[in-house]
Amino acid sequence: MASKEAKFPPQSQETQPGKEHVMEPIPQAINPDYKPSNKLRGKVVLVTGGDSGIGRAVCLCFAKEGATVAFTYVKGHEDKDKDDTLKMLLEAKTSDAEEPLAIAADIGYDENCKQVVELAVKEYGRIDVLVNNAAEQHLRNSVEEITEKQLERVFKTNIFSQFFLVKHALKHMKEGSSIINSTSVNAYSGNPESLDYTATKGAIVALTRALAQELVSRGIRVNAVAPGPVWTPIQPATKPPEMIQNLGSDVPMKRAAQPSEIAPCYLFLASLQDSSYFTGQVLHPNGGMIVNA
């Protein structure tokens, strides 16, 4: 699988957020041979953008490891994916975990992020792991094509939300808790076709490093994951069909990842027994790209 080329049928979606249930093929959220080992038993996890893509894979992986999972989604756009994810989580959850919770929210705004945290804490009493994963992307040929409205919207979704959620979640996180931010290989390699998205991903790397230093005295670890090309709904919702066909062909492994291949990075960083000496770091599941970071 490491070197096998994988091509996707040409396809596109007209709206964002993208929808997983109409993708062909459906992304793989969990490896069928996955063997859980109770690494997150008794933990409460909040994942943004958990209805599909990497977020869904993280939710499902964490549930299999014993966690109680809450996730956010965009009402009206992601209802079907949200329902599918809830069904998967109910089937995957361990006997001592509580039922999963889906929270509809536009997390680009401070008050909405506060409400998300309050709903999760009202349901479960605390947050042990916060995964800031939600993001949006728009391709443009030039910086001159990026409007003020688009720039504000991308920054609100991708980076403002992470500040807001951390600010409110910290009140309910204790020593041993973990914050994991989704950045991107674009933060290191650069991508001229999505300058605003790339800028937010660079900001996430800087936020992760600085926040880790701030919170280390409180025993809260802050890390990030920087995936390369992954078969998620943001791809057909962002790129033209001809780009989808060749997704991942420019990395050494000559293919895009499945979300199930990325989620274990988040599990590693969430699990205190595995990554207790990790903070301020970024993991790079990117198919072999060398980023010197």
Side-chain angles (χ1 to χ4, degrees):
M1 193 171 186
S3 60
K4 183 179 179 182
E5 293 188 28
K7 300 290 186 179
F8 299 102
Q11 57 198 280
S12 63
Q13 298 182 25
E14 299 300 321
T15 60
Q16 287 205 45
K19 298 173 175 61
E20 183 152 327
H21 66 275
V22 299
M23 294 174 68
E24 174 59 37
I26 296 293
Q28 184 186 71
I30 194 77
N31 187 317
D33 296 324
Y34 185 84
K35 294 178 174 59
S37 53
N38 290 317
K39 290 184 176 181
L40 298 180
R41 185 175 182 180
K43 301 297 184 182
V44 174
V45 179
L46 174 60
V47 181
T48 65
D51 60 285
S52 65
I54 293 173
R56 173 186 285 182
V58 169
C59 286
L60 192 55
C61 180
F62 283 16
K64 285 183 172 290
E65 291 292 341
T68 293
V69 178
F71 67 89
T72 70
Y73 71 101
V74 178
K75 188 175 182 179
H77 291 274
E78 299 176 322
D79 293 348
K80 175 65 166 62
D81 285 343
K82 174 263 295 183
D83 291 340
D84 291 345
T85 299
L86 280 175
K87 182 179 178 181
M88 293 176 187
L89 291 176
L90 285 168
E91 293 173 351
K93 85 175 196 70
T94 57
S95 59
D96 54 347
E98 297 187 52
E99 292 200 356
L101 175 66
I103 304 173
D106 179 347
I107 58 171
Y109 298 89
D110 189 13
E111 183 59 30
N112 293 355
C113 290
K114 181 181 179 181
Q115 291 177 8
V116 166
V117 169
E118 289 177 346
L119 284 169
V121 172
K122 180 181 179 180
E123 189 75 14
Y124 305 128
R126 68 186 191 283
I127 296 172
D128 298 305
V129 181
L130 171 63
V131 178
N132 287 310
N133 171 72
E136 67 177 89
Q137 177 180 236
H138 308 272
L139 296 194
R140 296 291 184 266
N141 292 321
S142 166
V143 65
E144 297 168 303
E145 297 180 8
I146 300 175
T147 65
E148 180 179 2
K149 181 179 179 180
Q150 177 184 311
L151 185 66
E152 289 181 349
R153 181 66 250 180
V154 171
F155 268 75
K156 280 179 178 293
T157 300
N158 296 10
I159 182 66
F160 283 22
S161 65
Q162 298 199 8
F163 273 91
F164 298 148
L165 284 158
V166 166
K167 179 176 72 172
H168 297 297
L170 278 174
K171 303 179 184 70
H172 311 283
M173 303 180 81
K174 298 179 180 180
E175 182 177 353
S177 297
S178 176
I179 297 170
I180 308 168
N181 301 323
S182 292
T183 179
S184 167
V185 68
N186 288 352
Y188 300 89
S189 63
N191 186 347
E193 294 178 328
S194 58
L195 285 170
D196 48 357
Y197 173 86
T198 298
T200 64
K201 293 303 182 175
I204 291 167
V205 173
L207 170 64
T208 298
R209 291 171 172 170
L211 191 62
Q213 295 181 52
E214 176 184 336
L215 298 182
V216 68
S217 63
R218 295 168 61 171
I220 298 174
R221 297 176 301 109
V222 186
N223 295 288
V225 180
V230 188
W231 183 232
T232 69
I234 202 172
Q235 304 294 353
T238 301
K239 299 179 172 69
E242 60 271 17
M243 291 183 70
I244 295 299
Q245 282 185 290
N246 297 310
L247 183 67
S249 62
D250 56 344
V251 305
M253 286 190 179
K254 302 298 182 184
R255 66 175 181 87
Q258 289 291 336
S260 61
E261 297 178 281
I262 308 300
C265 292
Y266 292 80
L267 174 61
F268 171 78
L269 294 173
S271 170
L272 191 60
Q273 72 182 66
D274 290 335
S275 58
S276 60
Y277 203 51
F278 273 71
T279 198
Q281 306 304 311
V282 182
L283 300 186
H284 296 273
N286 61 28
M289 298 179 68
I290 305 301
V291 295
N292 295 320

